Amino acid sequence: MSYITSDQLIAKLRNEVKEIDVHTLAGDLQSGKEWTVIDIRGMDEWAQGRIEGSIHIDRGFLELLIEHYVPRRNHPVALVCASGVRTLLGARSLEEMGYTNVASVAGGFIGWKNAGYSFSVPRMLTEEQRHRYSRHTIMPEVGEEGQLKLLDASVLLIGAGGLGSPAAIYLAAAGVGKIGIVDFDVVDTSNLQRQIIHRLEDVDVPKVDSASRAIGQLNPDVKVVGHRTQLTSQNAFDIISQYDIVINGSDNFPTRYLVNDACVLLGKPLVDGSIFRFEGQVTVFDAAGGGPCYRCLYPDPPPPGEVPSCAEGGVLGVLPGVIGSLQAAEAIKLILGQGDPLIGRLTLYDALDGEFREMKVLKNSDCPVCGQQPTVTELIDYQQFCGIPHVETVATNGKDELIPVFSN
């Protein structure tokens, strides 16, 4: 059996693998050529600087992750390492996987830097953060860049009750950097059946304080801002404007309409959820992105007394855990820009039957707040009462679509 040395292998690959120099790459990028630049250096090297716009995939994961970033086998790929040696090996592996337009950048990042081309020093997670969020960063849909997006994001929770509790816990655990909580109530023993962020020792403590303590014990990366106040037309704009995304966990119509209208007028996405007895639902209202809003379904609140009260109807304790967790997942998807958010879709969960259903939510061109000729142009304070509207469904073109009606 014949052997070759590493030097002989590299010399052989230089004759077999396409190489481009840093000047060619710089010129191509300047002219807009469709290169996907993959930097395969180690994390410590990447932290020292990178070609702007490049994607980091450690050499040990190149073959495992390349298809996520470059699904088309004929797409131009430029591999960068420190000096242009490891990329020869990486390029050969990608060619064996069927990639037909791969180039190793001769001279690598050192050559790029020495030639005087601009580069950026990426913001990095700390070692403690890298360990804490390792189950996130290993996924290509998140990665270190996505985790930094989460740390930079801000989410406002309307209510620290049944829905706000699980949403707050999972957003904090995920590393959402700023979580605001609007709630003017104090913890009561009757809350503990479902509001899992609070403890017996928190009874009679303001919910914003109780929730803030729990989040602080879970993740010190998260800044919690408590708004111990009732949301009104006087303060809604000021509070909501401070956040990227709003999660609605309120249990009354006046707040639901107020939050919806403020989010539409401010251009904020709203992750909406509701629960009643054994059933829950969740959707994303994003009028600024072309989706429907809450008033597309329910243009005006029903008269008081026409819907059952929260206290009268009750709720299965674990149900808000399911719906609140789904709300947190939707918010995280919006932050990362991944997946298909529930915009124009309503997910319904029946705990008794153990079934999920999905219904289409249509944008209403006559909507009083997000329609073509809106009549609601300022915030309105409605009379306080508690409940959820009843909806019926009809089949249209083989798909369920929501028709908003209120129970009599």
Side-chain angles (χ1 to χ4, degrees):
M1 180 181 295
S2 61
Y3 299 93
I4 61 174
T5 66
S6 59
D7 289 341
Q8 290 171 327
L9 174 61
I10 296 303
K12 178 174 180 290
L13 290 176
R14 289 197 189 282
N15 292 323
E16 297 175 353
V17 171
K18 177 182 177 181
E19 285 188 289
I20 60 172
D21 59 35
V22 295
H23 306 294
T24 301
L25 178 61
D28 286 349
L29 294 177
Q30 181 67 29
S31 65
K33 184 172 181 179
E34 195 183 7
W35 283 110
T36 293
V37 181
I38 306 289
D39 193 316
I40 66 171
R41 293 175 297 159
M43 188 64 71
D44 56 335
E45 298 172 292
W46 169 260
Q48 298 170 18
R50 63 171 179 178
I51 298 174
E52 192 67 42
S54 59
I55 297 170
H56 180 249
I57 305 178
D58 190 283
R59 174 66 189 92
F61 293 93
L62 178 63
E63 294 83 356
L64 298 176
L65 300 181
I66 187 63
E67 291 172 304
H68 172 78
Y69 294 103
V70 188
R72 291 190 290 120
R73 293 299 202 271
N74 62 347
H75 183 81
V77 177
L79 297 182
V80 177
C81 65
S83 60
V85 174
R86 281 170 285 177
T87 48
L88 292 169
L89 298 166
R92 181 183 64 173
S93 293
L94 295 189
E95 288 176 351
E96 289 174 349
M97 292 178 66
Y99 284 87
T100 59
N101 198 357
V102 182
S104 170
V105 179
F109 181 73
I110 294 174
W112 178 276
K113 186 176 178 181
N114 290 342
Y117 295 116
S118 62
F119 63 93
S120 62
V121 177
R123 180 178 161 213
M124 306 291 291
L125 297 174
T126 65
E127 285 302 319
E128 193 281 331
Q129 289 173 330
R130 196 167 289 122
H131 181 70
R132 174 184 287 270
Y133 305 118
S134 60
R135 299 305 188 275
H136 269 177
T137 57
I138 199 172
M139 296 190 295
E141 293 84 358
V142 183
E144 187 150 329
E145 184 177 348
Q147 189 60 53
L148 289 168
K149 288 182 180 179
L150 290 170
L151 288 165
D152 289 340
S154 59
V155 177
L156 178 65
L157 297 170
I158 309 298
L163 294 175
S165 289
I169 287 173
Y170 275 110
L171 290 175
V176 172
K178 178 182 174 183
I179 297 177
I181 302 174
V182 178
D183 202 304
F184 64 91
D185 202 2
V186 298
V187 179
D188 183 82
T189 52
S190 66
N191 302 147
L192 303 181
Q193 166 252 12
R194 64 202 176 281
Q195 298 179 17
I196 59 172
I197 204 168
H198 310 298
R199 298 291 181 266
L200 189 60
E201 63 192 45
D202 299 319
V203 170
D204 295 328
V205 172
K207 288 184 179 179
V208 293
D209 295 339
S210 172
S212 178
R213 173 199 53 78
I215 292 172
Q217 292 177 347
L218 177 63
N219 191 348
D221 285 340
V222 180
K223 176 184 178 181
V224 182
V225 180
H227 303 275
R228 195 187 175 197
T229 182
Q230 184 173 359
L231 203 67
T232 69
S233 62
Q234 301 301 311
N235 62 19
F237 278 152
D238 180 58
I239 293 174
I240 292 174
S241 64
Q242 302 175 45
Y243 299 88
D244 303 323
I245 297 169
V246 178
I247 292 181
N248 185 25
S250 64
D251 63 353
N252 64 81
F253 275 122
T255 303
R256 299 184 78 86
Y257 280 89
L258 182 66
V259 171
N260 174 79
D261 295 352
C263 285
V264 171
L265 295 173
L266 289 171
K268 305 283 185 179
L270 171 62
V271 183
D272 191 79
S274 61
I275 51 175
F276 185 69
R277 292 176 59 83
F278 298 96
E279 299 178 350
Q281 58 188 43
V282 61
T283 187
V284 176
F285 296 123
D286 186 11
C293 79
Y294 187 71
R295 283 187 188 266
C296 289
L297 284 174
Y298 316 114
D300 299 293
E306 287 201 1
V307 290
S309 123
C310 298
E312 293 171 345
V315 61
L316 183 68
V318 344
L319 180 65
V322 176
I323 302 302
S325 297
L326 289 175
Q327 287 181 282
E330 289 302 307
I332 290 171
K333 284 161 56 181
L334 290 170
I335 293 167
L336 295 175
Q338 293 287 345
D340 186 12
L342 289 173
I343 299 172
R345 296 183 294 140
L346 180 73
T347 293
L348 300 100
Y349 173 62
D350 186 326
L352 281 182
D353 292 338
E355 291 183 349
F356 283 92
R357 287 189 301 152
E358 183 178 289
M359 296 182 179
K360 191 174 181 181
V361 181
L362 299 178
K363 186 173 180 65
N364 182 3
S365 60
D366 296 323
C367 174
V369 68
C370 77
Q372 296 177 0
Q373 295 180 322
T375 57
V376 176
T377 57
E378 57 185 20
L379 300 182
I380 303 169
D381 288 315
Y382 288 101
Q383 180 183 355
Q384 291 283 346
F385 63 95
C386 180
I388 60 172
H390 168 67
V391 296
E392 294 179 353
T393 62
V394 296
T396 304
N397 297 326
K399 296 182 179 180
D400 285 335
E401 294 184 353
L402 283 176
I403 302 298
V405 294
F406 295 107
S407 301
N408 293 320

